[in-house]
Amino acid sequence: MGRVIAIDLGTKRTGLAVTDILKITANPLETIETSKLADYLTQYFKNEDVETIVLGYPKSLDGTDNQMTPKVISLKSRLSKLFPDKKLVLVDERYTSKMAMQSMIAMGSKKKDRKEKAGNLDKISAAIILQTYLEQL
């Protein structure tokens, strides 16, 4: 049984989160440059057994597509060709950035640190997307 990895795609940075081996917990993994995502995943999959890729599916609050929706659909298509043995799942990501910010505040992160560590927000958002997926199972 492999892990599950979640991707919170951004135009510049992409947040990643991964489950433990038993698929019980969602853990922030890393924030990387979006342009390096495919290379990162290729290397990661060589070292870790991952069976499912969860993509945050961006929608507007009213449920319509937003400017990131076509980019995620394109990424899903690209990943399905690069990694045909992986299951690909889309998970609604509305409110995840807000929830991630609230989590950082709850953990005692100062306003200055939150601004400087925007990458933390991306990987925490990915962890929330992954936790949402795990709860749906």
Side-chain angles (χ1 to χ4, degrees):
M1 275 198 328
R3 297 175 190 261
V4 180
I5 194 166
I7 300 171
D8 182 26
L9 183 69
T11 54
K12 295 179 184 177
R13 291 181 319 266
T14 294
L16 301 170
V18 67
T19 62
D20 61 311
I21 294 171
L22 298 175
K23 292 185 237 167
I24 296 171
T25 61
N27 306 296
L29 177 63
E30 190 140 4
T31 299
I32 60 168
E33 291 178 39
T34 298
S35 62
K36 297 178 180 177
L37 179 61
D39 292 336
Y40 180 91
L41 291 175
T42 299
Q43 188 61 41
Y44 189 82
F45 295 159
K46 286 179 183 177
N47 299 322
E48 297 290 340
D49 182 24
V50 174
E51 66 182 32
T52 304
I53 302 169
V54 175
L55 293 168
Y57 192 50
K59 293 282 191 173
S60 298
L61 295 181
D62 64 2
T64 59
D65 291 353
N66 66 24
Q67 73 273 11
M68 285 301 293
T69 307
K71 292 176 180 160
V72 169
I73 297 299
S74 175
L75 176 63
K76 182 180 184 222
S77 175
R78 185 171 171 220
L79 292 178
S80 69
K81 291 173 186 160
L82 284 172
F83 311 110
D85 61 323
K86 310 289 183 217
K87 178 180 173 184
L88 282 154
V89 179
L90 296 174
V91 171
D92 186 346
E93 71 167 24
R94 284 178 281 185
Y95 304 109
T96 56
S97 293
K98 187 173 185 175
M99 291 167 62
M101 182 62 74
Q102 289 172 342
S103 294
M104 290 178 72
I105 291 168
M107 291 186 295
S109 181
K110 295 181 175 129
K111 189 173 186 177
K112 179 183 172 193
D113 292 337
R114 292 192 305 266
K115 285 182 181 178
E116 291 175 1
K117 297 179 182 177
N120 285 337
L121 188 65
D122 299 321
K123 64 185 175 183
I124 292 171
S125 292
I128 292 169
I129 292 165
L130 184 52
Q131 187 63 45
T132 300
Y133 171 74
L134 292 175
E135 290 170 2
Q136 291 173 356
L137 290 180

